[in-house]
Amino acid sequence: MKKPTILCVDDEKIILDSLEEQINYRLGREFEILLAEGGEEGLEVINELNEEGKDLAVVVSDQLMPGMKGDEFLIRVHNMHPETLKILLTGQASIDAVRNAINNAHLYRYVIKPWEENDLMLTIEEAGRSYLQYLQLIEHNRLLRALNKSSQEISGEIDIKRLINRFMQNVMENAGAEKGFLLMERDGVLAIEAIAAATQQTAKDLQSKFANESNSFTSHVLEIITKTIENDEFPNHRFVTPISRKGKSLGYLFLENNSSHSAFSYNQREVLQMLASQAAISIENANLYARVQEKTAELQEEKEKVEKINSLLNDKNKDILDSIRYAKRIQESIMPEKDLLTYYFPESFILYKPKDIVSGDFYWFTTRNDKLFIAAVDCTGHGVPGAFMSVIGSNILGQVVNEYNIADTEAILDMMNFRVSTTLKQGAEGSESNDGMDIALCIIDIENKQIQFSGANRSMYILRNGDLVEYKSDKFPIGGRLFQNRERSYSKHLVDIQPGDILYIFTDGITDQFGLVGDQEKKYTFRRLQLLLTGLQETPLTEQAKVIDKEIEHWRGSVEQTDDILIIGIKF
């Protein structure tokens, strides 16, 4: 695997040599360090990296250089590699130059010359680690998409031979293995069911050897599998996972890649194990289906045929529901504990009502330096698709606040928009992804009694002395392919807190909820919500969630819940 690159650009060779020595000492094992004596030479180095297919993780550039200034160089780097983290070294740089780099190159940080070695190295280390996490996220998302595609391809297949062939084909595409074997139990004995290889010649040789030396070949493969499982003897270039269903072993998947001693990454192993679990369900379903068909053909009775098929579908639905309930536990685990909010604000509530088992809405909060960061987020869709987006959104929001150390609501939303769009490749040619999220984000400065607010399609309400004041959001979402070619940035409101103020942020689930008015279904609307909240001025916050929930249920009556519902209230 090629190391990502850290590029240092300065017109003074002694500075470059010093940077190279310091970075090599700290990060030489994980990154390749390259040098360039000026912007033009730096662009040439980047072009060479592009031709070699290498990742450009971090660029550290001086500002005052002959020819091309540092801010101009970093902007050109950003146009080629927006995901690369840029650091500007400034000695006598103007404020305009720094602002230009921040606004147009998405500058990660700037460091004033002469720098303090440990401070600069920590900055570069943080940038490098962030880039590695970005690569891991990209790889993880790629593998999840591959898993979803593979699962869809095998889950609907009922012919056992076609199912096994498709399964092995998907495994080889996602694993990067030289060869692979699927062993299944036949009358209590493990036997090779399928052989796959990265090249046609290797597959042909393996098939020939198996045909001519079936017993010895199978024994050799079983011996390797046994050693790998019992002794973990070859953990890097060999991979084994059982294929089992409801505690019953169906067989093993065995992969090997002797050309690399670290062939299978953690993410690959995780995806392969999930795919093997899906294969076990599909194999059992295919076997069940075959048995049902045989029984139906023998008995020729419509009733029994329907019962068998219904039984199969019920088992499948149970498996799907079990998986979704497990996904719910995962989703709940990424949300913060509500006790943290009540610790800072005893009079507060979170009303969270998913439409389905899992939700596209999520709440998020954390504290830093006596400031509470809190958000109500509505991702595209609900149910399983919305839940996938909520995991992505929560991870990105946490990274922007906790790792990038951004404490400005409009800057957080700008960075989230960039990260969501790049993660989902919405700017790429041919991309069809229009997923995104709406968000109401507040930073509550507890000591100075002030609220920062920025919103993407989600407003904030302040209830003060019986009057409900709306602080409007910007009318575009976080992410979304349809908005990628528009110039935009998010705005910010600053609100001084007065005793007795009540803050509300929410998603659109409550206002979009349908209810019967006469014989027609109508939405609850923002106007009804505003009247409801205004009437709750004297109601304790600990009781308000119950009142709002009761109002929603009364409004919808027998009508199905329209969307996920989330509303957060805080009294100061």
Side-chain angles (χ1 to χ4, degrees):
M1 182 178 178
K2 298 176 182 178
K3 292 182 180 180
T5 300
I6 296 176
L7 174 62
C8 300
V9 182
D10 199 296
D11 59 327
E12 296 185 39
K13 191 173 185 308
I14 188 171
I15 291 179
L16 288 177
D17 291 340
S18 174
L19 283 172
E20 181 181 30
E21 180 180 356
Q22 294 170 13
I23 298 173
N24 253 323
Y25 177 76
R26 299 251 190 155
L27 299 170
R29 291 184 179 180
E30 299 170 281
F31 297 89
E32 179 184 8
I33 291 81
L34 296 179
L35 309 177
E37 296 185 21
E40 294 294 343
E41 184 178 331
L43 295 176
E44 292 175 4
V45 171
I46 293 173
N47 288 331
E48 292 174 1
L49 292 174
N50 293 340
E51 292 174 1
E52 296 172 7
K54 293 183 177 180
D55 290 308
L56 181 60
V58 182
V59 174
V60 183
S61 174
D62 187 24
Q63 168 62 16
L64 297 179
M65 298 183 293
M68 188 183 302
K69 302 300 182 186
D71 57 337
E72 178 187 351
F73 168 66
L74 291 180
I75 291 170
R76 294 183 64 175
V77 172
H78 179 72
N79 291 334
M80 292 187 288
H81 293 281
E83 74 283 356
T84 297
L85 288 95
K86 281 76 71 176
I87 299 172
L88 183 65
L89 301 179
T90 64
Q92 302 174 357
S94 67
I95 292 296
D96 289 339
V98 174
R99 184 183 295 114
N100 189 33
I102 292 173
N103 293 335
N104 298 306
H106 284 241
L107 191 67
Y108 177 71
R109 200 160 297 166
Y110 63 90
V111 178
I112 298 175
K113 286 184 175 181
W115 65 80
E116 199 277 319
E117 177 182 339
N118 192 53
D119 178 59
L120 178 59
M121 289 303 106
L122 284 175
T123 297
I124 296 174
E125 281 185 23
E126 290 172 359
R129 301 282 182 262
S130 295
Y131 190 83
L132 291 178
Q133 290 177 351
Y134 163 77
L135 292 181
Q136 291 172 357
L137 180 62
I138 293 296
E139 175 65 8
H140 190 60
N141 288 337
R142 183 192 70 79
L143 290 171
L144 285 177
R145 288 193 295 271
L147 172 64
N148 183 52
K149 174 178 175 293
S150 301
S151 297
Q152 289 177 354
E153 288 186 2
I154 67 174
S155 63
E157 184 57 70
I158 56 176
D159 183 89
I160 191 68
K161 290 185 178 179
R162 289 199 300 266
L163 170 60
I164 289 173
N165 288 336
R166 286 188 178 183
F167 170 63
M168 291 302 293
Q169 179 183 349
N170 280 295
V171 164
M172 296 303 291
E173 287 176 356
N174 294 318
E178 287 184 326
K179 50 192 174 183
F181 304 89
L182 178 65
L183 290 85
M184 302 295 293
E185 278 200 7
R186 297 179 186 169
D187 300 324
V189 178
L190 281 171
I192 294 177
E193 190 73 28
I195 298 174
T199 65
Q200 290 183 350
Q201 186 59 49
T202 303
K204 184 177 179 181
D205 293 343
L206 290 171
Q207 293 285 1
S208 176
K209 191 170 184 179
F210 175 64
N212 296 326
E213 308 169 25
S214 176
N215 291 335
S216 61
F217 187 85
T218 302
S219 297
H220 175 66
V221 172
L222 282 171
E223 183 181 354
I224 296 174
I225 290 175
T226 301
K227 287 183 178 179
T228 304
I229 293 173
E230 292 181 353
N231 305 321
D232 199 24
E233 188 175 351
F234 309 105
N236 293 322
H237 68 288
R238 285 175 178 162
F239 171 78
V240 176
T241 187
I243 297 178
S244 57
R245 180 77 180 123
K246 296 179 180 177
K248 179 184 177 182
S249 175
L250 305 178
Y252 289 96
L253 172 66
F254 168 52
L255 304 174
E256 189 172 49
N257 189 344
N258 289 313
S259 64
S260 173
H261 286 284
S262 57
F264 305 107
S265 68
Y266 173 82
N267 285 338
Q268 281 179 314
R269 291 171 182 266
E270 189 178 51
V271 167
L272 289 169
Q273 287 169 345
M274 288 191 283
L275 187 55
S277 297
Q278 177 63 54
I281 296 172
S282 298
I283 289 170
E284 185 186 50
N285 286 340
N287 288 331
L288 282 171
Y289 183 82
R291 290 196 292 270
V292 168
Q293 290 296 90
E294 291 173 6
K295 192 68 174 177
T296 303
E298 290 173 5
L299 299 176
Q300 295 295 310
E301 293 181 6
E302 187 65 23
K303 180 180 178 180
E304 188 166 332
K305 180 177 72 173
V306 171
E307 287 176 352
K308 292 287 185 179
I309 292 174
N310 284 339
S311 176
L312 180 66
L313 292 176
N314 287 336
D315 285 346
K316 198 174 187 71
N317 287 335
K318 181 179 182 302
D319 292 332
I320 293 170
L321 285 173
D322 287 345
S323 297
I324 293 175
R325 290 189 181 101
Y326 185 76
K328 179 184 180 181
R329 292 200 296 271
I330 295 174
Q331 186 180 42
E332 288 175 345
S333 71
I334 68 171
M335 291 194 193
E337 294 291 337
K338 294 180 182 179
D339 289 344
L340 177 62
L341 181 62
T342 55
Y343 173 81
Y344 285 93
F345 298 102
E347 282 208 68
S348 62
F349 71 84
I350 297 175
L351 177 60
Y352 182 56
K353 293 170 65 69
K355 178 183 184 298
D356 302 307
I357 297 174
V358 290
S359 171
D361 286 6
F362 70 95
Y363 55 87
W364 181 94
F365 49 85
T366 189
T367 57
R368 297 175 65 86
N369 301 323
D370 285 330
K371 295 179 180 179
L372 176 72
F373 297 68
I374 186 164
V377 189
D378 183 357
C379 297
T380 303
H382 47 75
V384 174
F388 269 108
M389 279 298 298
S390 75
V391 173
I392 293 173
S394 179
N395 287 339
I396 290 176
L397 182 55
Q399 187 179 53
V400 169
V401 172
N402 295 317
E403 295 182 23
Y404 293 179
N405 295 322
I406 300 177
D408 180 272
T409 54
E410 61 181 315
I412 292 172
L413 295 197
D414 285 336
M415 180 58 75
M416 280 192 69
N417 179 58
F418 169 74
R419 291 300 311 279
V420 169
S421 298
T422 54
T423 298
L424 300 180
K425 292 185 169 58
Q426 291 175 334
E429 184 176 351
S431 171
E432 295 183 359
S433 170
N434 196 35
D435 296 321
M437 57 198 70
D438 299 336
I439 181 171
L441 173 66
C442 300
I443 300 178
I444 303 173
D445 189 334
I446 299 171
E447 181 178 352
N448 296 311
K449 296 181 175 56
Q450 188 178 65
I451 302 171
Q452 280 188 53
F453 166 74
S454 294
N457 284 332
R458 296 269 62 84
S459 297
M460 175 183 73
Y461 288 165
I462 296 292
L463 182 58
R464 176 180 295 167
N465 298 325
D467 294 323
L468 191 69
V469 181
E470 178 181 4
Y471 294 86
K472 293 185 179 295
S473 63
D474 296 294
K475 299 301 181 184
F476 41 81
I478 300 293
R481 175 174 54 85
L482 299 178
F483 293 83
Q484 289 309 300
N485 297 323
R486 303 185 186 182
E487 293 185 3
R488 54 175 173 153
S489 61
Y490 296 90
S491 57
K492 176 175 64 179
H493 298 276
L494 294 177
V495 182
D496 291 328
I497 299 169
Q498 295 182 16
D501 283 355
I502 303 177
L503 175 150
Y504 297 99
I505 53 177
F506 50 91
T507 60
D508 62 1
I510 183 171
T511 55
D512 286 350
Q513 177 60 49
F514 283 98
L516 283 176
V517 179
D519 58 353
Q520 293 184 335
E521 289 187 359
K522 293 187 177 182
K523 290 185 177 181
Y524 189 75
T525 71
F526 286 97
R527 179 58 181 163
R528 287 188 176 90
L529 177 61
Q530 290 165 355
L531 290 173
L532 172 64
L533 296 179
T534 302
L536 295 176
Q537 174 84 36
E538 302 302 325
T539 303
L541 266 288
T542 52
E543 296 296 319
Q544 285 193 17
K546 296 178 183 178
V547 175
I548 296 171
D549 189 26
K550 185 176 180 180
E551 169 72 3
I552 294 169
E553 293 303 309
H554 176 73
W555 171 259
R556 76 178 187 87
S558 60
V559 178
E560 183 180 0
Q561 185 172 328
T562 307
D563 197 358
D564 303 313
I565 292 173
L566 171 63
I567 180 166
I568 301 171
I570 298 174
K571 184 172 184 179
F572 301 98

